[in-house]
Amino acid sequence: MPSAMPVSPQQSAGVDDAELIRRSWIDSECFATLFDRHHRAIHRYVARRLGTQAADDIVGETFLIAFRRRESYDLTHSQALPWLYSIATSLVARHRRDEVRYLRALRRTGVDPLPEPLADQITRRVAAQGQERRLAGALADLSRGDRDVLLLVAWGDLSYEETAEALSIPVGTVRSRLHRARRKVRKALGGGPSIHTPEEC
């Protein structure tokens, strides 16, 4: 079997995730390009849910699991981000109590320990200042399933289809959970502007 050619940073721009994973079956160094491409997005997502310290560990574990499972990756999916979010979300679920505690502490104190504000992409779209505490409380009060869907769409920038893929649920379930989560968050924010997510209807 011919050896895969390593992918240089200059060459990697034109290589999709599926091809990088396929090449990593033969040359494991190719997987490093996938890490370089996506680790910041995964870290940002986990840090917003659990804090930076936990995110460091979970991101490492996410990519270790992905590396070990890379030969079972469905190469028909050119983008691996939904797959990586799926692994990270499963790991976050093991820390559900920590996540709820983190969000409730933020609701009480209003102090975000992250270097960037909580829900940076989200809170920019919330009209009034000082909504972060109520937003944190609303997120803490959501069910795990509703929170996973909302945050994958809002923080992960995944489409409904990608979110369904990441969570192994039907697209219809994504829509219903997202609708319910938006309604609850909007109510917690006093009926004002809610979390804006792609494909909002």
Side-chain angles (χ1 to χ4, degrees):
M1 182 178 288
S3 174
M5 294 297 294
V7 181
S8 71
Q10 294 79 15
Q11 295 169 320
S12 66
V15 177
D16 68 25
D17 294 345
E19 177 60 16
L20 285 173
I21 292 170
R22 187 193 68 75
R23 292 184 187 188
S24 78
W25 297 348
I26 300 164
D27 181 0
S28 60
E29 291 298 316
C30 291
F31 200 82
T33 304
L34 191 77
F35 176 84
D36 292 342
R37 189 176 283 179
H38 296 306
H39 81 277
R40 286 185 185 87
I42 299 298
H43 189 278
R44 195 163 47 244
Y45 168 71
V46 177
R48 285 169 170 164
R49 298 192 68 168
L50 294 174
T52 304
Q53 187 173 4
D56 294 340
D57 294 334
I58 289 178
V59 169
E61 192 173 353
T62 296
F63 281 92
L64 179 61
I65 290 169
F67 180 77
R68 289 175 176 164
R69 294 180 184 171
R70 71 192 189 283
E71 292 191 18
S72 65
Y73 182 76
D74 182 353
L75 296 176
T76 63
H77 298 287
S78 63
Q79 298 301 314
L81 204 48
W83 177 58
L84 295 170
Y85 276 125
S86 172
I87 296 169
T89 299
S90 294
L91 294 173
V92 166
R94 296 181 190 173
H95 299 268
R96 181 174 181 275
R97 288 180 187 166
D98 294 337
E99 178 183 27
V100 171
R101 212 168 18 243
Y102 174 78
L103 290 168
R104 289 188 173 151
L106 179 55
R107 175 175 56 187
R108 284 193 308 274
T109 65
V111 177
D112 186 355
L114 298 181
E116 57 183 316
L118 172 72
D120 191 36
Q121 293 180 15
I122 297 173
T123 54
R124 281 198 305 261
R125 300 171 183 142
V126 176
Q129 290 294 326
Q131 295 279 30
E132 288 185 4
R133 290 186 188 192
R134 283 189 280 175
L135 175 59
L139 293 175
D141 291 339
L142 293 176
S143 70
R144 192 185 103 198
D146 289 357
R147 187 164 57 243
D148 286 345
V149 166
L150 180 66
L151 299 184
L152 281 170
V153 172
W155 287 347
D157 288 326
L158 296 187
S159 68
Y160 291 3
E161 290 75 15
E162 289 170 332
T163 302
E165 179 188 335
L167 298 177
S168 300
I169 58 176
V171 173
T173 303
V174 170
R175 290 182 184 280
S176 62
R177 287 183 182 178
L178 195 55
H179 176 74
R180 184 168 54 241
R182 282 183 186 137
R183 190 179 66 242
K184 289 179 179 177
V185 169
R186 190 175 290 117
K187 182 178 179 183
L189 296 177
S194 183
I195 293 177
H196 171 80
T197 54
E199 305 182 38
E200 183 128 33
C201 51

